[in-house]
Amino acid sequence: MLRGAKFRIKRALGLEFSRLECRVIEVGDVRELRKLFGWDREAVLDDPRLHDFDYPEDLNLRRLHDAEVIGTVMANVRPDRALEIGTSEGRTTALMAANAPETEIHTINIPPEELARGEGGNLTTGALDVDRIGAYYRERGCQNVRQILANTEHWIPDVGPIGVAFIDGCHDAEFVYRDTVKALSIAEPGAFILWHDFNPHLAKAYRWIYDVCVGIEELYRARKLNGRIYHLRDSWVGLYRVPNGGGGERRDE
């Protein structure tokens, strides 16, 4: 799985994302995403930083579009349990909690000492002190969040069945692959899997996006995924629905 030589060959042949090219559908507006799944609730988007611009990566309201996807899924699915891999300061955690206040959200983050020892892969946002992990959702008073400190390489999913998973931990292809397999192992039929730093149009521009796409491409090659991924234009979020969801999205294969 994910051997370097294998991906060098695919890169030389220009076939590295042949599965994604057939499976990713770009959606122009979050209203179209709601139409696709028959949803009627709009997301609660009250984090003032969603409109901030700090880096070129924030162009085209990227933060806002990311939040639109995540918040819309949570607002309409409202599962009993959801999983977030990669807590960081907890801004996305708070977004998930605000849009599904009855959902029990389990959020997992690698302990900083393990990251400092190089045990959390290469493509990570950075190590936070323990008291900063999840600080934002605690400041917001979110009561439906359960914090887990663990390295997902060794973590055994034991939170019960989930209806939504948001994967934003280490972006190394191996971690993306493994984290997704673990999320799928506890996903209910019809659950939604979301990946951050997913945008096939920018895979050649940013190493971490490239690795996320490599991991997801390999999931298709291993037949762990078989449906479509929907990508909201100008966002860095991919959305996948686990099959056998009692109807699913309209006109999908």
Side-chain angles (χ1 to χ4, degrees):
M1 181 185 74
L2 297 169
R3 296 181 179 88
K6 180 178 181 181
F7 287 99
R8 282 196 296 274
I9 291 170
K10 285 193 286 185
R11 184 157 50 244
L13 294 175
L15 298 176
E16 56 197 350
F17 299 135
S18 59
R19 299 300 198 280
L20 289 181
E21 288 171 359
C22 298
R23 289 298 185 180
V24 176
I25 303 295
E26 186 162 282
V27 181
D29 187 277
V30 72
R31 291 172 293 185
E32 293 297 299
L33 196 63
R34 294 203 305 269
K35 183 191 301 182
L36 176 71
F37 292 105
W39 293 337
D40 56 7
R41 296 191 186 100
E42 296 185 13
V44 175
L45 304 172
D46 58 0
D47 183 346
R49 286 199 59 192
L50 293 179
H51 294 271
D52 285 359
F53 178 88
D54 295 320
Y55 309 102
E57 291 81 5
D58 297 327
L59 285 168
N60 301 314
L61 297 175
R62 192 269 306 169
R63 295 184 186 187
L64 178 63
H65 294 312
D66 288 355
E68 284 179 330
V69 180
I70 300 162
T72 296
V73 171
M74 292 301 295
N76 288 277
V77 177
R78 297 195 173 186
D80 291 335
R81 281 174 295 274
L83 173 67
E84 178 190 34
I85 295 178
T87 313
S88 190
E89 292 185 343
R91 290 186 176 274
T92 302
T93 321
L95 171 70
M96 296 171 71
N99 280 280
E102 301 303 318
T103 296
E104 186 176 86
I105 297 168
H106 298 264
T107 182
I108 181 169
N109 203 89
I110 186 171
E113 63 273 14
E114 292 192 34
L115 193 59
R117 292 197 300 264
E119 298 175 11
N122 298 310
L123 298 174
T124 55
T125 302
L128 297 177
D129 293 337
V130 171
D131 62 347
R132 292 302 304 163
I133 295 172
Y136 184 77
Y137 77 72
R138 290 193 295 273
E139 290 169 4
R140 293 289 299 265
C142 300
Q143 299 298 311
N144 55 328
V145 178
R146 306 293 178 265
Q147 182 71 62
I148 302 167
L149 291 178
N151 186 338
T152 57
E153 182 174 4
H154 311 295
W155 177 64
I156 297 174
D158 57 357
V159 301
I162 59 170
V164 174
F166 178 63
I167 298 173
D168 188 24
C170 175
H171 296 95
D172 293 10
E174 294 87 345
F175 273 82
V176 173
Y177 184 100
R178 183 169 46 243
D179 289 350
T180 303
V181 169
K182 290 188 176 185
L184 288 169
S185 73
I186 56 174
E188 298 173 320
F192 287 85
I193 308 293
L194 298 89
W195 298 274
H196 196 233
D197 294 281
F198 176 85
N199 185 329
H201 301 300
L202 297 175
K204 301 299 178 65
Y206 299 107
R207 166 71 190 282
W208 58 93
I209 294 179
Y210 177 81
D211 257 49
V212 170
C213 290
V214 168
I216 296 173
E217 174 77 11
E218 187 65 14
L219 286 159
Y220 277 109
R221 292 181 180 274
R223 299 186 178 182
K224 303 293 186 183
L225 304 176
N226 55 37
R228 296 196 186 279
I229 294 176
Y230 294 94
H231 171 251
L232 180 64
R233 185 180 302 153
D234 295 323
S235 82
W236 285 12
V237 177
L239 171 63
Y240 173 84
R241 190 172 196 183
V242 175
N244 302 319
E249 62 270 32
R250 300 171 188 175
R251 297 184 63 83
D252 196 13
E253 299 177 358

